[in-house]
Amino acid sequence: MSIPLSILDLAPIRRGSNAAETFAQSVALAQTAEASGYKRVWYAEHHNMNSIASSATSVLIGHIAHHTDTIRLGAGGVMLPNHSPLVIAEQFGTLETLFPGRIDLGLGRAPGTDQMTFRALRRDPSASDAFPHDVLELQGYLGATSRIEGVNAYPGQGTNVPLYILGSSLFGAKLAAQLGLPYSFASHFAPDALVQATTTYRNEFRPSEFLAEPHVIAAVGVVAAPTNAEAQATFEKVRRDRIRLFLGRNRPTEFTNEEVEMLLDSSHGESIMKMLKYTAIGDAATVTDYLNEFARIAQADELITAHHSSDPAQRLESVKITASAMGLGN
């Protein structure tokens, strides 16, 4: 059997586009994923980024759910330090009630934004310290018994929305292992600790009422095309778009092509390109070989793929080629 594949939709607002167009593209992506045999699609919470449209994650999940039928949808993830656990339980309890058996809740400890925006969210910088406690409190709201006497989530109570711990370091790996929850590693942008984190999680995993055995989801970039040359050409565009995204934020004018080339060779550019370390680039056979080897290295039970492309049509093509190559739906 091929390893299950899922999709992380970064909901990018491309140059010259807008959020409304991005949402329409996200619907098309989820529908294509559903038809192609992917297991789930997740959306990540980011704030104050004019190139990402998934800030209101639960609202976007509800919108996509209305336009799909069977595929699981969820947060990958909700940045829990930005919220009260009760509010998140109510939001995802509502989603699970509306779309039973289709909702996931991935939880991250980072704020998903800069410090100025974090303050605008009315959260304290020390909120991340309470992450383990907040996960347990949230788990209680979604289960049968709240951990806060006299406080319950309506809707939410008894929905048992499955929780996933997200991470890019050993902290999340150890917490997921201790709580007996599935663990998803963000190797699509933080590749360095992948093997150490997944090994630590598996070694320290404690079975729970939610999960009998460890379950690792590893994120990986994909650029699949009919030929290796086409995939490499698309990836070159991805590299340049990354420079504009990360280094051109809040810049009044866009970088010229010459400036992008210079930045690619800079230390900042090298750091950004390092995020793309784990990316499958090529035709169907090349991508299949890469993903199977990556799954082995990551000790993954499931891969969540981020299909990098500057063009929505190319992204859908990558999704389809990868699904066919990996035998999804067979």
Side-chain angles (χ1 to χ4, degrees):
M1 291 180 62
S2 63
I3 188 168
L5 296 187
S6 298
I7 289 179
L8 176 64
D9 181 1
L10 300 173
I13 303 176
R14 293 171 172 82
R15 284 182 291 159
S17 186
N18 54 51
E21 291 180 354
T22 293
F23 295 146
Q25 291 158 8
S26 288
V27 168
L29 177 62
Q31 290 173 336
T32 300
E34 183 173 82
S36 301
Y38 287 81
K39 187 172 185 178
R40 65 183 103 238
V41 182
W42 280 359
Y43 307 90
E45 176 188 347
H46 293 279
H47 298 283
N48 195 29
M49 296 187 70
N50 60 10
S51 58
I52 295 180
S54 53
S55 55
T57 313
S58 60
V59 179
L60 180 57
I61 291 169
H63 175 67
I64 302 295
H66 271 296
H67 291 85
T68 51
D69 297 313
T70 57
I71 195 165
R72 297 193 66 88
L73 301 166
V78 160
M79 301 298 106
L80 197 53
N82 297 343
H83 311 277
S84 100
L86 176 61
V87 169
I88 295 303
E90 291 169 342
Q91 290 177 1
F92 280 80
T94 297
L95 286 168
E96 175 63 26
T97 302
L98 291 170
F99 307 102
R102 296 183 57 198
I103 303 301
D104 300 328
L105 178 49
L107 301 169
R109 185 171 65 112
T113 187
D114 55 79
Q115 289 301 313
M116 184 179 298
T117 308
F118 190 63
R119 287 193 293 271
L121 290 166
R122 300 296 191 268
R123 306 300 288 173
D124 186 275
S126 64
S128 60
D129 296 339
F131 181 67
H133 176 273
D134 287 349
V135 171
L136 292 173
E137 183 179 335
L138 174 59
Q139 198 171 53
Y141 290 137
L142 294 170
T145 305
S146 172
R147 291 175 177 265
I148 308 298
E149 186 176 354
V151 180
N152 293 283
Y154 304 119
Q157 186 181 55
T159 56
N160 296 304
V161 176
L163 302 184
Y164 298 75
I165 300 298
L166 278 57
S168 57
S169 68
L170 295 186
F171 181 92
K174 288 178 173 291
L175 180 63
Q178 179 182 352
L179 299 181
L181 293 174
Y183 178 58
S184 181
F185 189 85
S187 34
H188 65 296
F189 76 85
D192 287 350
L194 170 64
V195 174
Q196 187 180 10
T198 57
T199 300
T200 297
Y201 168 70
R202 288 191 176 279
N203 288 342
E204 299 185 10
F205 180 83
R206 301 177 186 175
S208 70
E209 62 179 298
F210 308 102
L211 193 64
E213 298 179 348
H215 186 85
V216 171
I217 303 175
V220 58
V222 179
V223 178
T227 67
N228 286 328
E230 289 174 273
Q232 287 293 342
T234 297
F235 184 64
E236 285 305 308
K237 294 178 183 177
V238 169
R239 294 174 74 239
R240 286 156 176 77
D241 285 344
R242 281 293 179 106
I243 293 293
R244 291 186 168 96
L245 171 64
F246 286 98
L247 298 183
R249 186 179 178 188
N250 299 323
R251 179 183 164 93
T253 59
E254 187 176 283
F255 287 126
T256 64
N257 291 334
E258 291 76 14
E259 289 172 328
V260 169
E261 290 298 329
M262 291 175 58
L263 289 168
L264 278 168
D265 294 330
S266 70
S267 58
H268 293 300
E270 290 177 3
S271 296
I272 293 168
M273 292 306 105
K274 191 176 182 180
M275 297 179 184
L276 298 170
K277 175 181 178 180
Y278 292 121
T279 303
I281 309 162
D283 61 13
T286 303
V287 166
T288 298
D289 290 344
Y290 186 99
L291 293 181
N292 285 330
E293 178 62 11
F294 173 78
R296 185 191 66 79
I297 292 171
Q299 305 171 75
D301 302 290
E302 178 182 339
L303 299 181
I304 187 159
T305 56
H307 290 263
H308 302 308
S309 177
S310 305
D311 178 81
Q314 287 178 335
R315 184 170 70 162
L316 294 183
E317 181 180 54
S318 180
V319 167
K320 293 175 184 177
I321 289 173
T322 303
S324 177
M326 294 294 287
L328 300 189
N330 291 346

